[in-house]
Amino acid sequence: MPGRTIFTGDNLDILRGINSECVDLIYLDPPFNSNRTYAAPLDSEARGAEFDDVWTLSDMKAEWIDEIEYRLPALFHLINGAKLSHGESMAGYLTFMSVRLLELHRVLKATGSIYLHCDDTAVHYLKSVMDAVFGIQNFQVGIFWKRTSAHNDSRGFGRVTDTILFYSRQSRINTDAIRVPLDADYVEQFYRFEDERGKYQLGDLTAPRRGTGETGQLWRGFDPNRTGRQWNAPLRGRYAAWVDANVIPGYRDIASPLGRLDALDAAGMIYYPPDQGMPRLKRYLAENPGQVPTNQWNDIRPIGPRARERTGWRTQKPVALLERIINASSNPGDLVLDPFCGCATACIAAEKLGREWIGIDRLPQAAEVLAARARRELQIPMNGDDERPWEDWTPLVLQEPPRRSDLASLTPANPQSDKELLYACQNRRCAGCEYELPLHVLTIDHITPRSRGGQDSIGNLQLMCHTCNAIKGNRGMEYLRQQLVIRGIVSV
Ligand SMILES: C[S@@+](CC[C@H](N)C(=O)[O-])C[C@H]1O[C@@H](n2cnc3c(N)ncnc32)[C@H](O)[C@@H]1O
Ligand SMILES: [Zn+2]
């Protein structure tokens, strides 16, 4: 799948054409079921960009319902529950989202991560849908992003946050890539001292157990052995490296423990308590790499009226928000997908961070805005500008859905027409369980497996559902039929 591509069209058609398990990170910011229409101002870069966030039961297309019921029965029941408890509009919205989330699950790598951005209109239902599709055990955290600073809602609690649901099989994120300065409260509580190098806290210069050699000797009149301890001026670790690089060049080359104490003292890095207690090490705030953000993100500001990144797209998100997500859950070179990309914020952030990306939006303006943003925010000239050749950075703008190349390594003519032919021959049914199913949920299977000499020719191919395919594996049809009976999927 080529990166740096923006598709303009319905994301469902496009997702169906993307190979399975090829995406590292998905961010999606779909319509929220807000019952509103969003239109960009006429004088903005995004003029003409307009989308409805209004849902009805007509969004529950019969073929989608069939597909959901077939692929994930729990999800089907969940949507029916929402229809009863909330109403038809919610059921329509969840149906629209569910078929797309099933495809997103298919294209995401097993090691990948997905972040779903929403607000509290539907977050509770979306959480259940995500649990069903991505697995409740893979739910990492709900992030609350403070999207606006003030809200004058005199009649109730002001709604200032969006929720971002984060799922991944791996709980680890790239913490060092997203650290932020320590909380002011924390600094105030723990960094209570200050000198000309800035704020610091006190650290130990001794370690447990009496010292026998140099580490047990008297230094500046202080005896560590008196309290059963020994000198331990840091030699390894982050703080020693910082001291070496910023305060005492060559510090880590001083082998003698007392020599290191002398050097620290000469540099003013030792604190002598007024009560004559043991000397302490000054640990400066300047060395602290900051903290990993909690799940409450108040530090990413909404886009200001005059911000360079502002496009006029009503639902535009800040690049900094996407940068944090991309840094946390992907590495340079990884593929990032945003299936509701709007004015391409995720694409811009991914490009800045050296990731490959695919953006999809129904509106053709998405591609135009991307080009304008790239020129302005990434300083990338587009066609017609001549400072740098256009070929340096050529995003693909495509309207046609891609074609999956992983369906089957078919040598004959054209996999898609073979599929359609087989589908017609099989009366739209799975060759195993014989359930009538939509074409896109059926995959090509070799009747006699290739591992047993089966050919790629059309005579040896059939279409089967995922369940039958998984049961059959690389065995024959006889085995599959027996298993379907044993499991009660078909009767004898
Ligand atoms: C909330 S906005 C996304 C904003 C985006 N995060 C940004 O920073 O600009 C949702 C977007 O989804 C698009 N959209 C809605 N339904 C779609 C569909 N079926 N396929 C593709 N895009 C769709 C809308 O055109 C809209 O731009
Ligand atoms: Zn089947």
Side-chain angles (χ1 to χ4, degrees):
M1 192 71 215
R4 275 190 183 155
T5 305
I6 186 152
F7 287 97
T8 55
D10 187 331
N11 51 19
L12 183 59
D13 300 333
I14 289 150
L15 291 171
R16 294 219 200 274
I18 296 180
N19 284 352
S20 296
E21 300 194 31
C22 68
V23 175
D24 297 284
L25 169 63
I26 297 171
Y27 166 83
L28 70 157
D29 173 20
F32 294 171
N33 196 18
S34 63
N35 210 10
R36 287 169 51 185
T37 295
Y38 294 90
L42 287 176
D43 57 353
S44 73
E45 188 170 273
R47 74 189 149 276
E50 179 174 323
F51 70 94
D52 282 336
D53 188 7
V54 180
W55 306 85
T56 64
L57 204 60
S58 64
D59 294 297
M60 295 183 69
K61 293 196 184 143
E63 74 215 64
W64 292 356
I65 311 246
D66 284 352
E67 179 178 345
I68 294 167
E69 184 178 16
Y70 168 74
R71 283 173 78 172
L72 200 55
L75 195 49
F76 171 77
H77 293 299
L78 209 147
I79 294 172
N80 276 334
K83 186 167 156 190
L84 293 177
S85 63
H86 194 114
E88 297 185 343
S89 145
M90 185 58 81
Y93 172 68
L94 294 178
T95 306
F96 166 90
M97 287 303 296
S98 294
V99 272
R100 286 161 178 81
L101 288 168
L102 285 169
E103 283 305 306
L104 290 170
H105 178 256
R106 181 184 61 74
V107 303
L108 188 64
K109 284 185 186 167
T111 50
S113 305
I114 178 164
Y115 290 74
L116 168 68
H117 191 138
C118 56
D119 70 4
D120 59 5
T121 322
V123 63
H124 44 310
Y125 287 114
L126 288 171
K127 169 75 170 59
S128 318
V129 168
M130 292 290 282
D131 283 346
V133 176
F134 290 91
I136 191 164
Q137 71 283 8
N138 298 322
F139 173 61
Q140 296 298 330
V141 72
I143 295 160
F144 298 97
W145 172 54
K146 189 169 168 211
R147 66 178 155 77
T148 159
S149 15
H151 218 285
N152 282 332
D153 193 346
S154 55
R155 282 178 302 170
F157 299 118
R159 294 158 137 217
V160 296
T161 56
D162 281 354
T163 305
I164 304 173
L165 303 173
F166 166 32
Y167 287 74
S168 173
R169 275 202 214 160
Q170 340 184 48
S171 53
R172 286 179 74 96
I173 53 171
N174 301 325
T175 49
D176 282 338
I178 54 165
R179 286 181 190 276
V180 291
L182 295 176
D183 271 349
D185 288 355
Y186 183 92
V187 171
E188 199 182 322
Q189 196 182 346
F190 293 98
Y191 287 86
R192 281 184 291 145
F193 301 86
E194 191 162 1
D195 66 12
E196 65 288 351
R197 274 192 202 101
K199 289 185 181 294
Y200 63 89
Q201 58 181 349
L202 301 180
D204 266 343
L205 279 170
T206 61
R209 284 199 295 280
R210 299 166 67 86
T212 43
E214 203 184 314
T215 59
Q217 287 174 15
L218 218 57
W219 182 80
R220 302 277 197 271
F222 294 97
D223 177 10
N225 282 337
R226 210 162 49 85
T227 51
R229 297 176 70 86
Q230 57 179 309
W231 294 116
N232 183 34
L235 178 59
R236 275 179 280 279
R238 218 176 58 197
Y239 200 64
W242 181 82
V243 172
D244 198 312
N246 296 280
V247 188
I248 310 169
Y251 170 76
R252 286 180 300 179
D253 301 329
I254 307 173
S256 146
L258 296 189
R260 288 201 297 283
L261 286 176
D262 290 340
L264 289 171
D265 200 20
M269 289 199 61
I270 291 181
Y271 174 85
Y272 294 92
D275 66 359
Q276 313 300 319
M278 289 297 275
R280 310 288 303 275
L281 176 65
K282 296 182 181 176
R283 301 189 72 104
Y284 288 96
L285 177 61
E287 181 277 334
N288 192 300
Q291 65 183 53
V292 180
T294 63
N295 71 332
Q296 190 177 333
W297 295 2
N298 293 351
D299 57 329
I300 297 181
R301 320 288 301 162
I303 301 168
R306 261 178 264 292
R308 200 162 67 135
E309 65 184 89
R310 191 175 194 89
T311 67
W313 208 282
R314 284 287 183 209
T315 51
Q316 181 179 359
K317 302 297 179 291
V319 173
L321 181 73
L322 272 298
E323 283 181 330
R324 180 170 294 168
I325 291 172
I326 293 171
N327 270 325
S329 291
S330 71
N331 296 308
D334 280 359
L335 180 58
V336 178
L337 166 67
D338 183 347
F340 294 90
C341 74
C343 62
T345 311
C347 311
I348 294 287
E351 180 70 34
K352 271 176 123 174
L353 298 172
R355 271 62 164 177
E356 294 290 331
W357 50 265
I358 297 174
I360 310 175
D361 203 280
R362 191 150 60 183
L363 298 171
Q365 285 88 347
E368 293 157 25
V369 177
L370 167 70
R373 293 189 73 173
R375 192 183 304 131
R376 191 172 61 235
E377 292 169 52
L378 307 170
Q379 276 91 47
I380 294 171
M382 291 290 137
N383 263 344
D385 297 359
D386 43 18
E387 306 98 74
R388 237 174 69 188
W390 157 252
E391 296 75 52
D392 275 5
W393 195 81
T394 315
L396 283 173
V397 178
L398 301 174
Q399 277 108 42
E400 280 300 304
R403 274 231 166 123
R404 282 181 65 177
S405 59
D406 63 345
L407 275 175
S409 48
L410 291 179
T411 33
N414 174 346
Q416 196 57 30
S417 52
D418 284 344
K419 240 189 125 175
E420 275 151 16
L421 182 68
L422 291 167
Y423 191 56
C425 294
Q426 292 178 201
N427 264 337
R428 309 167 56 88
R429 287 170 192 280
C430 165
C433 60
E434 296 185 0
Y435 284 11
E436 190 173 340
L437 295 165
L439 174 60
H440 55 80
V441 305
L442 296 170
T443 49
I444 292 183
D445 171 63
H446 289 77
I447 300 171
T448 303
R450 273 181 297 180
S451 56
R452 299 211 215 136
Q455 299 295 304
D456 266 340
S457 64
I458 191 96
N460 188 41
L461 299 178
Q462 60 184 0
L463 293 179
M464 287 207 306
C465 71
H466 294 297
T467 311
C468 291
N469 238 325
I471 297 174
K472 179 170 175 265
N474 56 6
R475 288 167 284 238
M477 285 305 284
E478 228 10 78
Y479 174 81
L480 173 65
R481 280 193 202 102
Q482 276 170 12
Q483 286 296 314
L484 290 173
V485 173
I486 294 171
R487 295 170 193 218
I489 298 174
V490 300
S491 48
V492 220

